[in-house]
Amino acid sequence: MATETTGEATQAAGMPQLEFSTFPNQIFWLVITLVVIYLILSRVALPRIGGVLAERTGTITNDIAKAEELKAQAVEAEAAYNRALAEARSEAQRIAAEARADIQAGLDDAIAKADAEISAKAAESEKAIAEIRAGALESVKEVATVTAAEIVTALGGKADTKAVAAAIETRIKGSA
Amino acid sequence: MAEPTEGGGLEFYPMDQFIIKPLFGGDVVNWYTPTNSTLWLFLAILAIIGLMVLTTSRRAIVPSRGQSIAELAYGFVYKMVEDVTGKDGIKYFPYIMTLFLFILCANFLGLIPMSFTTTSHIAVTAVMGFGVFIAVTVLGFVKNGASFLSLFWVSAAPLPLRPILAIIELISYFVRPVSHSIRLAGNMMAGHAVLKVFAGFAQVAAVAPIAIIGVVAIYGLEVLVSAIQAYVFTILTCVYLKDALHPHH
């Protein structure tokens, strides 16, 4: 920051700012400078920076919009998933109910069939029992007749077969 | 650094740094002569190109450091113009940006040791100050016609006071360019002169440490002042522009 001696002689007193002889020079170059700066800024720098800022705002807005869209899609996908889940559940319930009904029907059928078979078998058995009983009665009659005839003979009588049979008949009927 | 002085007296010339000299020798400063002032004016242009054009050449969506600074300057002045003058002032944004960047770069370049501070000259600041004044006044009349004069007629005040206020308003209006330009030149000149005075005292061994600390402190202050004066000049320009666009109180 040397103070040059050249200044001493010419500008010893006062302010160089008030050296009016330099004013036209300063004003001339200043005007040129300002015009150049204005041209650089208005033609190149400011439109460029303004463009970049606008582009950035646009990009950010777009990105936010895109993110919102994706979010909406995700919500929609979730809803679709839930819907599908509910559908699947109700379908499963329907299938289960159907299967249950099927099984129930089969079961009812089988029970009915079994019942019918059982009652048929029971009827058959009853018939057989009745037959056996009838057979037994007949046998009793026969045995009774023969025995009665034998007893009569043994007692010295003459067994009248017809009378014995009739007597037995009445006896059995009476007891039965 | 400084010349040893003869006769024991402490001699330094704090104002010599403002002397305008022809750049390529000679003594005569004609209106077209390239001077040291011219050199630093052109360096200010280069600084602005470097700051606003070169940094933004990639037009990156995600800005580099340089581009962020350019965008910051753009956004700062743009918002200032928008806030102070309103939406219809936006079209004057390039002019205001020109003033702001020129003053900012010239102020900061002037802080480089051995450099020349173009904005410390009243001729430079007066051209800008009166340029703004004339432009704003013409704009006011073009936009509003005669009703621009209502700027001086304070309708909010009681009627008897209005003529007096009108005179005061009128005076203050015409003082604007003077204060506008002297404020900048005065700040820059005073700061640099004080720096030089402290530097001059550094010749004396006894006070040299204090002087050097003083230089450092004043330099820090000057960095602040450089930015603040650029801001002040710009925002006052915006305020004057607002008066021209909306003169009604």
Side-chain angles (χ1 to χ4, degrees), chain A residues 83-164:
Chain A
R83 216 162 37 236
L85 196 67
E87 249 163 46
R89 201 168 278 154
S90 69
E91 180 77 7
Q93 260 161 9
R94 196 181 57 75
I95 288 169
E98 236 165 53
R100 201 175 292 138
D102 260 10
I103 289 165
Q104 193 65 50
L107 203 61
D108 285 354
D109 247 18
I111 288 170
K113 218 177 268 172
D115 277 356
E117 239 163 63
I118 287 164
S119 54
K121 278 236 173 88
E124 223 166 76
S125 306
E126 235 153 75
K127 214 161 79 193
I129 289 166
E131 255 166 38
I132 290 164
R133 186 175 284 162
L137 211 58
E138 205 64 23
S139 303
V140 164
K141 218 192 274 175
E142 217 164 277
V143 168
T145 310
V146 174
T147 315
E150 286 298 310
I151 291 167
V152 168
T153 313
L155 289 175
K158 185 105 161 66
D160 187 351
T161 330
K162 258 196 189 153
V164 168

Side-chain angles (χ1 to χ4, degrees), chain B residues 10 12 199-209 211:
Chain B
L10 196 58
F12 43 83
F201 276 117
Q203 300 169 69
V204 184
V207 292

Side-chain angles (χ1 to χ4, degrees), chain B residues 72-86:
Chain B
L72 203 69
Y74 181 99
F76 177 70
V77 178
Y78 191 91
K79 193 163 162 22
M80 193 198 298
V81 175
E82 196 178 28
D83 286 353
V84 176
T85 65

Side-chain angles (χ1 to χ4, degrees), chain B residues 159-226:
Chain B
L159 193 58
L161 276 177
R162 284 186 205 170
I164 304 163
L165 281 175
I167 293 168
I168 295 171
E169 288 279 337
L170 204 63
I171 293 170
S172 80
Y173 188 80
F174 282 100
V175 169
R176 275 177 180 184
V178 180
S179 64
H180 202 192
S181 48
I182 288 180
R183 182 182 300 111
L184 175 58
N187 268 288
M188 298 319 293
M189 185 192 73
H192 284 73
V194 167
L195 271 178
K196 197 53 105 23
V197 169
F198 270 99
F201 276 117
Q203 300 169 69
V204 184
V207 292
I210 298 168
I212 288 165
I213 290 168
V215 167
V216 172
I218 298 290
Y219 192 93
L221 185 69
E222 279 307 292
V223 172
L224 194 69
V225 167
S226 292

